[in-house]
Amino acid sequence: MALDSKVPEGPIKDKWTDYKNHIDLVNPANKRNIDIIVVGTGLAGGSAAATLAELGYNVKAFAYQDSPRRAHSIAAQGGINAAKNYQGDGDSNYRLFYDTVKGGDYRSREANVHRLAEVSGNIIDQCVAQGVPFARDYGGLLDNRSFGGVLVSRTFYAKGQTGQQLLLGAYSAMNRQIARGKIEMFNRHEMLDVVKVGGKARGIIARNLITGEIERHSAHAVVIATGGYGNVYFLSTNAMGSNATAAWKIHKKGAYFANPCYTQIHPTCIPRSGDYQSKLTLMSESLRNDGRIWVPAKLEDAKAIQQGKLKPTDIAEADRDYYLERRYPAFGNLVPRDVASRAAKERCDAGYGVNATGEAVYLDFAFAINRYGIEQAKIHNIANASPEKIYELGQAIVEEKYGNLFQMYEKIVDENPYKTPMMIYPATHYTMGGVWVDYNLMTTVEGLYCIGEANFSDHGANRLGASALMQGLADGYFVLPYTIGHYLSHDIRTGKIPTNTPEFDAVEKEVKDRIDFFVNNNGTKSVDYFHKRLGKVMWDKVGMSRNEKGLTEAMAEIKAIREEFWKEVKVPGSANEMNVELEKAGRVADFLELGELFAKDALVRRESCGGHFREESVELDGEQQGEAKRDDVNFAFVSAWEYKGEPADAVLHKEELEFKDIELKQRSYK
């Protein structure tokens, strides 16, 4: 099947406007007769459910948490991008479009990214109207800060809890519709499969996580908004409940899965402390605005720090290597995440890491505190301010900007980051790959949509910081409500979709058979035993850097783990009750298939781009020596994989990428 991205004709600046002018609409009276299922209630799903219900559709929303406000979007810290140019520093829709395509290493679909830039400003207006408490400058206008990969300040923020505040905005919009009866909310429910009737998505099978009851739900269209698959690594910055089941199940029912190897390793995470951790904690990228990243310049100093004989404050300024400022003078500490992560790994691999495991670098705020302190002393007319006074004034400013992040760090690490530099190390964070969708956000299954992090559409091979919240809300508030209406305009006479049909019978039986297998299998090993083994293979061989030998081994090893899982897994408890181990078993079963496809995708893509770094594809000389080497002749395409049973047998379909508005060139942050 040829992949038709359905990108409208015409100049890129007019595509979205012309598209909206010519689509078919559903009149308000007919919207009352149309049902839509939204799975996932984070920023993408929550905003979509609220907007669709506000338009008049009947929405059924599903969340595996006890409330939509617990979706993992709350963990986003640093901000949300929008090209409003409030700082007057040269920002524009075009520059946001350009930065996003360049940041994604020229592996995104231009038309989708331009649309994202166009609607970005509307998101801020919408959220301000909802009461989201964005930070403001001294004059009362919305404030901005910088994030990696850009030369302007376009990130709107609410301290270090932007995701939480935005989600509360979407949640309040949802609550209005729940109260009106336009959203039927199913908390503590997990979608376990999609039901197709006549080739179209017409419903889902879900499990009530409290009672264990299996339920059938029908609709005229199904929207998947269930986030990314970072937990395939076991240790990641994702919540432990974050999983890939909904996206993987629709893949097995015909939705192509795109670019699974594009996974973001975030450079600013609290380092791993031991083998008994269940997740890692992200420190916002916004900290790189004011924090300087360094390691000791001398190997003996690094060794002394690792052994606890020296403290970071003992290292003289001349003996520090601010390696990002050294290697990338134009962008410094604000290079994109993939570049910063690999640079940290390179220093630590060379022996310059700064914690006991040798896997950490410093993020130092001493300079920012001093700079702000001197500025504040001048503002308050304090002549000859003592170093102590300067420190006190500067700390107050840093605390105002990042206080909750510093507090979180201190609780986890038991060190005061105002007094001693934070330690950070890269960790799995966001997935740019996901379900393939066209310009309408529809998958290769008719009537089945995928939005937010769960799809592949906007970020290419690397996501710029503060763009996840932008994409989730753009899809939910401003894109899907238009595109899904065009599809549903052909369903106004369909009537209710019945659930007592052979199609629902068959899928429900598949779901029940799998659950019965898990609770009755007499294995000897826990679900986590297999998940940790998978995660180790993924991190060691499909992690920050990859090579042909490691990827080939990873595919074989993951397959072996999967085969052992189906023989040896032990799930205590029964199916007809709340059973967290049963939930995990289904999710890990899916990760064990996804992980192998991930490795296969990375093996086939014999180039380095964005978050996918192949050791065989590196610049050997010139100004870019040691940096990632893209291959635009052979790999300027989206890998869209069709399910054929075993992950190793998946069939590759290519969506060739066209660059008509941005020149395809080497990405440099020097």
Side-chain angles (χ1 to χ4, degrees):
M1 175 179 127
L3 278 177
D4 180 7
S5 61
K6 295 191 171 66
V7 172
E9 294 298 318
I12 199 160
K13 64 181 175 40
D14 301 327
K15 284 183 193 294
W16 180 232
T17 303
D18 287 351
Y19 171 94
K20 289 188 293 182
N21 287 342
H22 293 98
I23 54 171
D24 295 335
L25 301 175
V26 182
N27 89 34
N30 286 330
K31 287 191 178 103
R32 293 195 285 269
N33 301 321
I34 289 180
D35 303 322
I36 301 173
I37 285 171
V38 179
V39 184
T41 55
L43 282 180
S47 59
T51 308
L52 292 167
E54 185 81 46
L55 286 170
Y57 297 106
N58 308 311
V59 177
K60 287 183 169 184
F62 292 81
Y64 73 78
Q65 300 94 342
D66 59 351
S67 163
R69 70 179 182 276
R70 290 204 202 281
H72 194 54
S73 301
I74 64 162
Q77 297 164 345
I80 176 168
N81 289 333
K84 280 188 169 288
N85 196 32
Y86 282 173
Q87 304 292 316
D89 56 1
D91 203 6
S92 65
N93 284 351
Y94 179 83
R95 194 171 286 278
L96 173 52
F97 163 55
Y98 172 82
D99 287 343
T100 305
V101 172
K102 178 186 175 184
D105 218 350
Y106 303 91
R107 289 293 176 263
S108 9
R109 187 190 290 152
E110 272 193 341
N112 283 61
V113 179
H114 196 278
R115 175 175 66 187
L116 177 67
E118 282 180 74
V119 305
S120 66
N122 298 353
I123 298 169
I124 304 304
D125 299 341
Q126 168 103 356
C127 295
V128 169
Q130 288 171 341
V132 172
F134 286 121
R136 294 179 181 264
D137 66 17
Y138 66 95
L141 299 174
L142 298 186
D143 200 7
N144 290 115
R145 56 189 177 199
S146 292
F147 261 56
V150 305
L151 294 171
V152 296
S153 294
R154 68 161 66 100
T155 304
F156 295 79
Y157 63 98
K159 272 199 168 176
Q161 46 184 266
T162 315
Q164 182 171 15
Q165 298 302 329
L166 291 170
L167 187 65
L168 288 171
Y171 177 60
S172 64
M174 281 185 77
N175 269 344
R176 174 176 137 79
Q177 300 306 325
I178 292 168
R180 293 176 65 220
K182 293 305 291 179
I183 293 179
E184 191 178 355
M185 189 67 227
F186 294 89
N187 294 328
R188 303 297 284 130
H189 278 67
E190 181 164 29
M191 169 187 158
L192 294 180
D193 218 332
V194 66
V195 180
K196 294 198 299 187
V197 181
K200 296 180 177 181
R202 292 300 200 190
I204 65 169
I205 303 295
R207 179 171 180 266
N208 180 323
L209 298 179
I210 303 294
T211 65
E213 189 182 348
I214 303 299
E215 301 174 4
R216 303 177 181 196
H217 297 275
S218 68
H220 297 91
V222 176
V223 180
I224 303 299
T226 50
Y229 49 89
N231 275 350
V232 70
Y233 284 90
F234 185 69
L235 280 181
S236 84
T237 65
N238 289 263
M240 289 186 70
S242 300
N243 65 86
T245 287
W248 193 249
K249 288 294 190 285
I250 67 171
H251 170 56
K252 293 174 82 165
K253 284 286 193 291
Y256 292 2
F257 207 92
N259 299 337
C261 77
Y262 290 164
T263 299
Q264 183 162 78
I265 312 290
H266 196 295
T268 321
C269 299
I270 295 178
R272 191 171 62 90
S273 59
D275 291 334
Y276 299 97
Q277 258 177 287
S278 56
K279 76 176 295 294
L280 296 167
T281 303
L282 175 71
M283 299 307 294
S284 168
E285 182 176 314
S286 63
L287 295 170
R288 292 200 271 145
N289 269 289
D290 284 316
R292 295 178 73 194
I293 294 171
W294 64 275
V295 292
K298 297 176 180 170
L299 204 54
E300 59 266 30
D301 286 349
K303 293 280 176 265
I305 286 175
Q306 288 165 21
Q307 293 158 9
K309 294 174 183 170
L310 275 181
K311 292 191 173 75
T313 44
D314 297 332
I315 308 294
E317 184 67 13
D319 295 329
R320 299 179 178 192
D321 176 14
Y322 297 94
Y323 58 87
L324 290 178
E325 297 169 31
R326 168 172 58 81
R327 284 178 62 174
Y328 308 103
F331 282 73
N333 294 297
L334 284 170
V335 291
R337 291 172 177 181
D338 59 321
V339 177
S341 294
R342 281 195 297 277
K345 181 179 190 293
E346 183 273 326
R347 287 290 78 197
C348 291
D349 288 351
Y352 293 90
V354 296
N355 67 350
T357 65
E359 291 186 330
V361 298
Y362 287 128
L363 180 62
D364 196 336
F365 283 84
F367 310 92
I369 289 171
N370 189 55
R371 185 177 80 246
Y372 285 129
I374 291 169
E375 186 181 89
Q376 288 298 304
K378 286 178 178 167
I379 289 169
H380 292 103
N381 260 336
I382 304 172
N384 302 320
S386 68
E388 291 76 23
K389 187 63 181 175
I390 286 171
Y391 185 88
E392 178 194 324
L393 292 167
Q395 181 178 330
I397 297 295
V398 170
E399 195 167 342
E400 190 183 324
K401 293 177 82 168
Y402 312 110
N404 61 310
L405 298 169
F406 278 60
Q407 188 182 19
M408 183 171 74
Y409 180 89
E410 187 166 3
K411 282 183 176 177
I412 293 171
V413 181
D414 196 25
E415 278 186 2
N416 180 348
Y418 294 106
K419 301 283 187 192
T420 186
M422 285 184 182
M423 288 184 293
I424 55 167
Y425 193 69
T428 306
H429 179 52
Y430 186 92
T431 54
M432 288 76 65
V435 178
W436 185 89
V437 292
D438 62 19
Y439 188 75
N440 300 315
L441 306 181
M442 195 194 287
T443 69
T444 44
V445 174
E446 230 183 317
L448 183 57
Y449 291 79
C450 190
I451 61 176
E453 188 183 358
N455 78 25
F456 89 104
S457 70
D458 292 16
H459 306 297
N462 173 60
R463 175 175 71 77
L464 291 182
S467 286
L469 306 186
M470 174 174 63
Q471 186 216 342
L473 292 179
D475 286 357
Y477 282 137
F478 298 111
V479 179
L480 181 79
Y482 283 99
T483 63
I484 202 170
H486 180 65
Y487 170 76
L488 292 170
S489 65
H490 305 290
D491 258 327
I492 58 176
R493 293 191 178 146
T494 304
K496 275 264 182 240
I497 308 290
T499 57
N500 57 342
T501 59
E503 292 88 348
F504 275 90
D505 292 345
V507 179
E508 184 178 305
K509 183 177 185 307
E510 282 177 46
V511 166
K512 284 182 167 172
D513 287 350
R514 170 173 274 210
I515 287 171
D516 289 345
F517 168 82
F518 283 133
V519 294
N520 294 318
N521 193 47
N522 288 320
T524 56
K525 298 185 172 78
S526 71
V527 175
D528 276 354
Y529 166 81
F530 293 101
H531 197 178
K532 284 180 181 175
R533 279 178 59 196
L534 169 66
K536 181 158 175 48
V537 173
M538 291 297 296
W539 183 252
D540 290 348
K541 296 180 177 176
V542 203
M544 257 193 285
S545 64
R546 302 146 186 189
N547 58 55
E548 186 165 350
K549 177 175 178 287
L551 291 168
T552 308
E553 290 169 357
M555 285 185 69
E557 286 170 29
I558 293 166
K559 183 178 182 179
I561 295 168
R562 185 169 69 248
E563 287 170 353
E564 187 185 340
F565 170 86
W566 285 106
K567 291 191 189 106
E568 286 295 325
V569 72
K570 170 75 175 169
V571 177
S574 77
N576 305 318
E577 61 180 350
M578 186 169 176
N579 188 337
V580 177
E581 284 299 305
L582 176 59
E583 293 168 37
K584 280 201 296 192
R587 296 165 186 172
V588 172
D590 296 328
F591 279 136
L592 284 163
E593 293 178 348
L594 170 58
E596 189 179 338
L597 182 66
F598 188 135
K600 179 182 171 107
D601 187 45
L603 185 61
V604 167
R605 189 167 284 277
R606 293 186 306 280
E607 66 163 351
S608 291
C609 59
H612 168 64
F613 186 75
R614 281 289 293 264
E615 290 165 14
E616 302 92 338
S617 191
V618 179
E619 297 289 350
L620 297 177
D621 47 37
E623 192 188 60
Q624 291 289 105
Q625 186 177 352
E627 301 295 327
K629 184 178 183 180
R630 245 183 23 243
D631 178 355
D632 295 329
V633 175
N634 298 302
F635 292 100
F637 62 80
V638 174
S639 306
W641 295 95
E642 182 184 1
Y643 181 76
K644 291 289 185 186
E646 283 288 309
D649 300 331
V651 172
L652 175 62
H653 299 264
K654 297 179 183 178
E655 179 197 339
E656 299 294 339
L657 292 168
E658 292 183 346
F659 293 91
K660 295 177 179 172
D661 290 83
I662 289 180
E663 182 193 351
L664 200 55
K665 63 183 180 183
Q666 190 174 53
R667 189 173 63 137
S668 171
Y669 293 94
K670 300 280 188 184

CSV table of all heavy atoms in Angstrom, one decimal, residues 155-180:
chain,number,residue,atom,x,y,z
A,155,THR,N,9.7,30.2,25.0
A,155,THR,CA,9.1,29.2,25.9
A,155,THR,C,8.3,29.8,27.0
A,155,THR,O,8.9,30.5,27.9
A,155,THR,CB,10.2,28.2,26.4
A,155,THR,OG1,10.9,27.7,25.3
A,155,THR,CG2,9.6,27.1,27.2
A,156,PHE,N,7.0,29.6,27.0
A,156,PHE,CA,6.1,30.1,28.1
A,156,PHE,C,6.1,29.1,29.2
A,156,PHE,O,6.2,27.9,28.9
A,156,PHE,CB,4.7,30.3,27.5
A,156,PHE,CG,4.6,31.4,26.5
A,156,PHE,CD1,5.0,31.1,25.2
A,156,PHE,CD2,4.1,32.6,26.8
A,156,PHE,CE1,4.9,32.1,24.2
A,156,PHE,CE2,4.0,33.6,25.8
A,156,PHE,CZ,4.4,33.4,24.5
A,157,TYR,N,6.1,29.5,30.4
A,157,TYR,CA,6.3,28.6,31.5
A,157,TYR,C,5.5,29.0,32.8
A,157,TYR,O,5.2,30.2,32.9
A,157,TYR,CB,7.8,28.4,31.8
A,157,TYR,CG,8.4,29.7,32.3
A,157,TYR,CD1,8.6,29.9,33.7
A,157,TYR,CD2,8.9,30.7,31.4
A,157,TYR,CE1,9.2,31.1,34.1
A,157,TYR,CE2,9.5,31.9,31.9
A,157,TYR,CZ,9.6,32.1,33.2
A,157,TYR,OH,10.2,33.2,33.7
A,158,ALA,N,5.3,28.0,33.6
A,158,ALA,CA,4.7,28.3,34.9
A,158,ALA,C,5.7,27.6,36.0
A,158,ALA,O,5.6,26.4,36.2
A,158,ALA,CB,3.3,27.7,35.1
A,159,LYS,N,6.7,28.4,36.4
A,159,LYS,CA,7.7,27.9,37.2
A,159,LYS,C,8.3,26.6,36.6
A,159,LYS,O,8.5,26.5,35.4
A,159,LYS,CB,7.3,27.6,38.7
A,159,LYS,CG,7.4,28.8,39.6
A,159,LYS,CD,7.3,28.4,41.0
A,159,LYS,CE,7.8,29.6,41.9
A,159,LYS,NZ,7.7,29.3,43.3
A,160,GLY,N,8.4,25.5,37.4
A,160,GLY,CA,8.9,24.2,36.8
A,160,GLY,C,7.8,23.2,36.8
A,160,GLY,O,8.0,22.0,36.9
A,161,GLN,N,6.5,23.7,36.6
A,161,GLN,CA,5.4,22.8,36.6
A,161,GLN,C,4.4,23.1,35.5
A,161,GLN,O,3.2,23.1,35.7
A,161,GLN,CB,4.7,22.8,38.0
A,161,GLN,CG,4.5,24.2,38.5
A,161,GLN,CD,3.9,24.2,39.9
A,161,GLN,OE1,2.7,24.3,40.1
A,161,GLN,NE2,4.8,24.1,41.0
A,162,THR,N,5.0,23.5,34.4
A,162,THR,CA,4.1,23.9,33.3
A,162,THR,C,3.1,22.8,32.8
A,162,THR,O,1.9,23.1,32.6
A,162,THR,CB,5.0,24.3,32.1
A,162,THR,OG1,6.1,25.1,32.6
A,162,THR,CG2,4.2,25.1,31.0
A,163,GLY,N,3.6,21.6,32.7
A,163,GLY,CA,2.7,20.5,32.3
A,163,GLY,C,1.5,20.4,33.2
A,163,GLY,O,0.4,20.2,32.7
A,164,GLN,N,1.7,20.4,34.5
A,164,GLN,CA,0.7,20.3,35.5
A,164,GLN,C,-0.4,21.4,35.3
A,164,GLN,O,-1.6,21.2,35.3
A,164,GLN,CB,1.2,20.3,36.9
A,164,GLN,CG,0.2,20.1,37.9
A,164,GLN,CD,0.8,19.9,39.3
A,164,GLN,OE1,1.9,20.1,39.5
A,164,GLN,NE2,0.0,19.4,40.2
A,165,GLN,N,0.1,22.6,35.1
A,165,GLN,CA,-0.8,23.8,35.0
A,165,GLN,C,-1.6,23.7,33.7
A,165,GLN,O,-2.8,24.0,33.7
A,165,GLN,CB,-0.1,25.1,35.1
A,165,GLN,CG,0.7,25.3,36.4
A,165,GLN,CD,-0.3,25.2,37.7
A,165,GLN,OE1,-1.4,25.6,37.6
A,165,GLN,NE2,0.2,24.8,38.8
A,166,LEU,N,-1.0,23.3,32.6
A,166,LEU,CA,-1.7,23.2,31.4
A,166,LEU,C,-2.7,22.0,31.4
A,166,LEU,O,-3.8,22.2,30.9
A,166,LEU,CB,-0.7,22.9,30.2
A,166,LEU,CG,0.2,24.1,29.8
A,166,LEU,CD1,1.3,23.6,28.9
A,166,LEU,CD2,-0.6,25.2,29.2
A,167,LEU,N,-2.3,21.0,32.1
A,167,LEU,CA,-3.3,19.8,32.2
A,167,LEU,C,-4.5,20.2,33.1
A,167,LEU,O,-5.6,19.8,32.8
A,167,LEU,CB,-2.6,18.6,32.8
A,167,LEU,CG,-3.4,17.3,32.8
A,167,LEU,CD1,-3.7,16.9,31.4
A,167,LEU,CD2,-2.8,16.2,33.6
A,168,LEU,N,-4.3,21.0,34.1
A,168,LEU,CA,-5.4,21.5,34.9
A,168,LEU,C,-6.3,22.3,34.1
A,168,LEU,O,-7.6,22.3,34.2
A,168,LEU,CB,-4.9,22.2,36.1
A,168,LEU,CG,-4.3,21.3,37.2
A,168,LEU,CD1,-3.6,22.2,38.3
A,168,LEU,CD2,-5.3,20.4,37.8
A,169,GLY,N,-5.8,23.1,33.1
A,169,GLY,CA,-6.6,23.8,32.2
A,169,GLY,C,-7.5,22.9,31.3
A,169,GLY,O,-8.7,23.1,31.2
A,170,ALA,N,-6.8,21.9,30.7
A,170,ALA,CA,-7.6,21.0,29.9
A,170,ALA,C,-8.6,20.2,30.7
A,170,ALA,O,-9.7,19.9,30.3
A,170,ALA,CB,-6.6,20.0,29.2
A,171,TYR,N,-8.2,19.8,31.9
A,171,TYR,CA,-9.1,19.1,32.8
A,171,TYR,C,-10.3,19.9,33.2
A,171,TYR,O,-11.4,19.4,33.3
A,171,TYR,CB,-8.2,18.7,34.1
A,171,TYR,CG,-9.0,17.9,35.1
A,171,TYR,CD1,-9.6,16.7,34.9
A,171,TYR,CD2,-9.1,18.5,36.4
A,171,TYR,CE1,-10.3,16.0,35.9
A,171,TYR,CE2,-9.8,17.8,37.4
A,171,TYR,CZ,-10.4,16.6,37.1
A,171,TYR,OH,-11.1,15.9,38.1
A,172,SER,N,-10.1,21.2,33.4
A,172,SER,CA,-11.3,22.0,33.8
A,172,SER,C,-12.2,22.1,32.6
A,172,SER,O,-13.4,22.1,32.7
A,172,SER,CB,-10.8,23.4,34.2
A,172,SER,OG,-10.2,24.1,33.2
A,173,ALA,N,-11.6,22.2,31.4
A,173,ALA,CA,-12.5,22.2,30.2
A,173,ALA,C,-13.2,20.9,30.0
A,173,ALA,O,-14.4,20.8,29.6
A,173,ALA,CB,-11.6,22.5,28.9
A,174,MET,N,-12.5,19.8,30.4
A,174,MET,CA,-13.2,18.5,30.3
A,174,MET,C,-14.3,18.4,31.4
A,174,MET,O,-15.4,17.9,31.1
A,174,MET,CB,-12.2,17.3,30.6
A,174,MET,CG,-11.3,16.9,29.5
A,174,MET,SD,-10.3,15.5,30.0
A,174,MET,CE,-11.5,14.2,29.9
A,175,ASN,N,-14.0,18.9,32.6
A,175,ASN,CA,-15.0,18.8,33.6
A,175,ASN,C,-16.3,19.5,33.3
A,175,ASN,O,-17.4,19.1,33.6
A,175,ASN,CB,-14.5,19.4,34.9
A,175,ASN,CG,-13.8,18.4,35.8
A,175,ASN,OD1,-14.0,17.2,35.5
A,175,ASN,ND2,-13.0,18.8,36.7
A,176,ARG,N,-16.2,20.7,32.6
A,176,ARG,CA,-17.4,21.4,32.1
A,176,ARG,C,-18.2,20.5,31.2
A,176,ARG,O,-19.5,20.5,31.3
A,176,ARG,CB,-16.9,22.6,31.3
A,176,ARG,CG,-18.0,23.4,30.7
A,176,ARG,CD,-17.4,24.7,30.0
A,176,ARG,NE,-18.0,24.9,28.7
A,176,ARG,CZ,-19.2,25.5,28.5
A,176,ARG,NH1,-20.0,25.8,29.5
A,176,ARG,NH2,-19.6,25.6,27.2
A,177,GLN,N,-17.6,19.7,30.4
A,177,GLN,CA,-18.3,18.8,29.4
A,177,GLN,C,-18.8,17.6,30.1
A,177,GLN,O,-19.9,17.0,29.7
A,177,GLN,CB,-17.4,18.5,28.2
A,177,GLN,CG,-16.9,19.7,27.4
A,177,GLN,CD,-18.0,20.5,27.0
A,177,GLN,OE1,-19.1,20.1,26.6
A,177,GLN,NE2,-17.8,21.8,26.9
A,178,ILE,N,-18.1,17.1,31.1
A,178,ILE,CA,-18.6,15.9,31.9
A,178,ILE,C,-19.9,16.3,32.6
A,178,ILE,O,-20.8,15.6,32.6
A,178,ILE,CB,-17.5,15.5,32.9
A,178,ILE,CG1,-16.3,14.9,32.1
A,178,ILE,CG2,-18.0,14.4,33.9
A,178,ILE,CD1,-15.1,14.6,33.0
A,179,ALA,N,-19.8,17.5,33.2
A,179,ALA,CA,-21.0,18.0,33.9
A,179,ALA,C,-22.2,18.2,33.0
A,179,ALA,O,-23.4,17.9,33.4
A,179,ALA,CB,-20.7,19.4,34.6
A,180,ARG,N,-22.0,18.6,31.7
A,180,ARG,CA,-23.0,18.7,30.7
A,180,ARG,C,-23.5,17.4,30.2
A,180,ARG,O,-24.5,17.4,29.4
A,180,ARG,CB,-22.6,19.6,29.6
A,180,ARG,CG,-22.3,21.1,30.0
A,180,ARG,CD,-21.8,21.9,28.8
A,180,ARG,NE,-22.8,22.0,27.7
A,180,ARG,CZ,-22.5,21.8,26.4
A,180,ARG,NH1,-21.2,21.6,26.0
A,180,ARG,NH2,-23.4,21.9,25.5
